[in-house]
């Protein structure tokens, strides 16, 4: 019976290794995509957050202070 026990251990190890490779690959692909699309996506995301009022008052104040969001007083 030791042969089947060894086979189970090898398949578990292979599954764990495959899962790790899949997660690492997805992370790398996501970081590359975000790095390339980030400058195009960020202004739209910030505009949507400011328009829809989804951000907190602290975040809104920070965005107004740094100049990346619209000012509340005209």
């Amino acid at each position: 019976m030791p042969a089947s026990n060894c086979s189970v251990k090898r398949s578990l190890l292979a599954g764990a290794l495959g899962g790790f490779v899949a997660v690492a690959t997805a992370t790398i692909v996501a970081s590359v995509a975000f790095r390339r699309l980030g400058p195009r996506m960020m202004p739209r995301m910030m505009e949507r957050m400011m328009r829809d009022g989804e951000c907190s008052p602290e975040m809104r104040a920070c965005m107004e202070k740094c100049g990346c969001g619209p000012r509340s007083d005209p």
Side-chain angles (χ1 to χ4, degrees):
M1 211 50 125
S4 66
N5 192 14
C6 185
S7 174
V8 169
K9 288 179 183 178
R10 276 189 298 195
S11 73
L12 286 175
L13 181 63
L17 185 62
F20 176 75
V21 169
V23 169
T25 303
T27 303
I28 291 170
V29 168
S31 69
V32 168
F34 188 72
R35 185 173 295 148
R36 291 192 179 198
L37 296 176
R40 289 185 225 151
M41 288 174 45
M42 287 304 286
R44 290 186 211 148
M45 289 170 51
M46 291 174 124
E47 179 182 313
R48 191 177 317 137
M49 285 186 343
M50 294 295 283
R51 181 186 64 226
D52 297 341
E54 293 177 6
C55 60
S56 66
E58 294 85 13
M59 185 175 185
R60 188 180 297 264
C62 176
M63 288 168 63
E64 290 174 1
K65 182 180 176 185
C66 73
C68 60
R71 299 197 177 274
S72 27
D73 46 339

